[in-house]
Amino acid sequence: MGFRITIPQGERKDELSNIHLRAMESNELLHAQFPKAQSIEFLHGWLGRNTLEHMQDADKGVLVALAEDDEETMVSFIKWLVHPKATEEETHEEWPECCRQEYLDSYGDLTQRVRDEVMGAESYYRLFNECLGTMESNESSADVTFLCTDPAWSGQGAATVLLRQVQSMARADGMPIVLESTMPAVSFYQKLGFEVRQGLDMMLPRRGSDEATELYEERCMVWRP
């Protein structure tokens, strides 16, 4: 299956939001962070605004994979962020009350701590892959903020093509890529040269519950040119 990689048009931002939510439907962290229909609706709008920001800002980018035989069909997308060396730690974003701020904040804190342990002061590309948190850095880096594929097109190579585009950019800059992978995606990243460096885990509530009783795990993975 072939794909055409291109920058999306702004009027298609809601399609990217739809793909994101379909791709993440089974992810328990997303549902812990956005537990209600109202919060999912807010997230859908936030993702659309995020897409426009990536299209309009000079330090951000977004690419989509379109089906080669039907370029009206959007299959997958990738977003990234390039930012200069930070002088101060960024603050957590404030989310509306329908969202669970504690799980957004705790996930951001956890991923930041693990990346600091794995990478130290080394500059890197960050693939902030699947769930929301706070994006922070103490060094120059480029962050891939989302990589999602429509489940109807899973396994047909669109995400691979998009990620290889980012690997080419990182290789040109002589920098590694760091990501937090959900457990089902670990083997996918390993096939593209990523190595598991450290585990991440946190306790989450079941859907419909407020009590954090379920263990959620991810893996911090690194690719080097």
Side-chain angles (χ1 to χ4, degrees), residues 82-145:
V82 181
H83 57 83
K85 183 175 180 179
T87 57
E88 296 181 359
E89 186 175 276
E90 298 178 17
T91 58
H92 288 293
E93 181 170 354
E94 290 298 323
W95 297 85
E97 290 185 2
C98 61
C99 307
R100 280 190 175 134
Q101 184 82 39
E102 66 269 32
Y103 294 113
L104 288 154
D105 290 351
S106 59
Y107 180 76
D109 291 341
L110 174 62
T111 56
Q112 179 68 43
R113 176 179 59 78
V114 170
R115 287 196 315 276
D116 288 346
E117 292 174 359
V118 170
M119 303 304 296
E122 184 177 7
S123 297
Y124 54 84
Y125 276 51
R126 185 186 178 199
L127 199 154
F128 185 73
N129 178 36
E130 312 220 0
C131 298
L132 294 171
T134 301
M135 291 178 288
E136 303 168 343
S137 178
N138 294 320
E139 296 293 325
S140 299
S141 64
D143 300 337
V144 177
T145 49

Side-chain angles (χ1 to χ4, degrees), residues 38-223:
Q38 181 183 3
S39 58
I40 292 294
E41 182 179 357
F42 174 85
L43 176 59
H44 186 280
W46 184 93
L47 292 167
R49 295 189 295 275
N50 179 264
T51 296
L52 292 179
E53 288 176 3
H54 278 69
M55 294 174 61
Q56 296 166 356
D57 291 358
D59 61 347
K60 299 178 183 179
V62 55
L63 292 173
V64 297
L66 304 176
E68 195 170 54
D69 57 353
D70 180 7
E71 293 190 358
E72 291 302 309
T73 301
M74 190 179 296
V75 173
S76 185
F77 72 87
I78 194 165
K79 299 178 183 178
W80 68 92
L81 167 67
V82 181
H83 57 83
K85 183 175 180 179
T87 57
E88 296 181 359
E89 186 175 276
E90 298 178 17
T91 58
H92 288 293
E93 181 170 354
E94 290 298 323
W95 297 85
E97 290 185 2
C98 61
C99 307
R100 280 190 175 134
Q101 184 82 39
E102 66 269 32
Y103 294 113
L104 288 154
D105 290 351
S106 59
Y107 180 76
D109 291 341
L110 174 62
T111 56
Q112 179 68 43
R113 176 179 59 78
V114 170
R115 287 196 315 276
D116 288 346
E117 292 174 359
V118 170
M119 303 304 296
E122 184 177 7
S123 297
Y124 54 84
Y125 276 51
R126 185 186 178 199
L127 199 154
F128 185 73
N129 178 36
E130 312 220 0
C131 298
L132 294 171
T134 301
M135 291 178 288
E136 303 168 343
S137 178
N138 294 320
E139 296 293 325
S140 299
S141 64
D143 300 337
V144 177
T145 49
F146 298 110
L147 172 60
C148 294
T149 299
D150 191 317
W153 291 85
S154 179
Q156 298 194 43
T160 297
V161 174
L162 290 169
L163 184 53
R164 282 177 174 163
Q165 293 270 349
V166 178
Q167 288 176 310
S168 294
M169 291 186 291
R171 183 180 292 109
D173 288 336
M175 289 194 291
I177 300 174
V178 182
L179 62 85
E180 290 81 39
S181 173
T182 59
M183 300 307 293
V186 168
S187 61
F188 164 75
Y189 291 114
Q190 288 176 324
K191 291 176 182 177
L192 288 170
F194 287 82
E195 297 180 353
V196 174
R197 296 294 301 276
Q198 191 163 319
L200 303 88
D201 61 79
M202 58 189 299
M203 300 301 293
L204 299 177
R206 290 179 179 269
R207 297 193 197 188
S209 172
D210 293 325
E211 185 178 358
T213 59
E214 304 301 310
L215 178 65
Y216 177 79
E217 296 182 274
E218 292 185 353
R219 294 291 182 264
C220 179
M221 304 184 73
V222 177
W223 172 86

